[in-house]
Amino acid sequence: MDWLPLLSTLAGAAIGIVATLIADRNRWKREDDKEALRLRLDIYTQYTSTVKVLGETLRALAGRDHPSDDARAFALREAFRESGIATASERMWLIAPEPVVKASNNVFHCLRRICDGYAAGTALGSTEDRARWEARGKAAADMRKLMREDLRVGPLTERHTNTLDTDTPTT
C-alpha cells in the first residue's frame, strides 16, 4: 500500500483545520475589540453628557434665589449627588485606560470644587468662579482629547464654537 497519498491528505487536512482555527480566532479577536470600543464609547458618552448637564445644573442653581445659604448649599450638593456623576465615574474607573481615568477624575474634582464654591457663597461670574470654570474647561478638553485617542477617531482640527472645549459660563 502506498502511504504517501494518505499522509499528504492528512497533512492537508491538518493544515486546513489549523488555518480555520487561526482565522476564527482572529475574527473573534476583531469582534471582541469592536465590542470593547463600543462599550468605551457608551461610557465616554455617558460621562461627558453627565459632566455637561451637571455643570449647567450647578450654574442654574447658583443663579437662583434660595431662602437661605444653607438651602442653597443643600440644593447644590443634592444636585451633585443626583446627577449620576459618581456612577458614571465608577464606570470610567472600571473600563477606561489609566490616562482617561485620570483625566475624567480631574474633571470630576473640578466640578466638585465648583459645587463647593457655590455652596460656600461664591458669586456666579466672579473671578474665582470664572477661574474654576476655566480649569474645568481645560480638564474637559484634555479628557475629550484622550477619549478621542482611545477611540481612534483622531483629534478635532477646528473649533465650531467658542465653548466647544471650555463650556465656560458667559456673563
Side-chain angles (χ1 to χ4, degrees):
M1 177 168 186
D2 190 7
W3 291 97
L4 191 57
L6 181 60
L7 289 176
S8 63
T9 301
L10 286 173
I15 290 170
I17 290 170
V18 169
T20 301
L21 290 173
I22 290 172
D24 285 347
R25 184 184 183 314
N26 288 340
R27 187 173 26 257
W28 170 80
K29 185 164 177 26
R30 278 192 307 275
E31 288 301 315
D32 195 44
D33 288 346
K34 283 181 188 176
E35 184 57 32
L37 201 62
R38 275 187 224 110
L39 177 61
R40 287 195 313 277
L41 175 60
D42 289 345
I43 289 168
Y44 295 170
T45 302
Q46 179 197 17
Y47 193 80
T48 55
S49 298
T50 301
V51 162
K52 183 147 184 83
V53 170
L54 176 57
E56 292 168 355
T57 301
L58 293 175
R59 198 176 297 139
L61 285 171
R64 286 191 193 142
D65 288 329
H66 297 275
S68 67
D69 290 343
D70 287 343
R72 177 185 184 185
F74 178 80
L76 287 159
R77 291 195 174 111
E78 192 64 19
F80 196 93
R81 269 190 297 277
E82 291 178 359
S83 70
I85 196 160
T87 301
S89 181
E90 287 301 318
R91 292 185 80 204
M92 293 290 283
W93 279 88
L94 292 172
I95 300 297
E98 186 176 353
V100 176
V101 169
K102 286 181 177 180
S104 68
N105 197 44
N106 191 20
V107 172
F108 178 94
H109 288 290
C110 285
L111 283 166
R112 180 88 252 172
R113 283 188 289 278
I114 289 167
C115 180
D116 291 344
Y118 288 149
T122 299
L124 190 64
S126 68
T127 303
E128 188 178 1
D129 181 44
R130 284 194 305 271
R132 286 186 183 124
W133 279 104
E134 193 173 303
R136 204 249 1 129
K138 182 182 178 333
D142 292 344
M143 176 188 70
R144 286 187 198 108
K145 178 181 174 278
L146 290 168
M147 287 174 172
R148 290 180 66 83
E149 287 173 5
D150 182 45
L151 295 171
R152 296 177 236 143
V153 293
L156 289 173
T157 56
E158 66 181 66
R159 291 175 60 159
H160 297 284
T161 68
N162 290 338
T163 59
L164 178 65
D165 291 334
T166 59
D167 294 330
T168 55
T170 56
T171 54

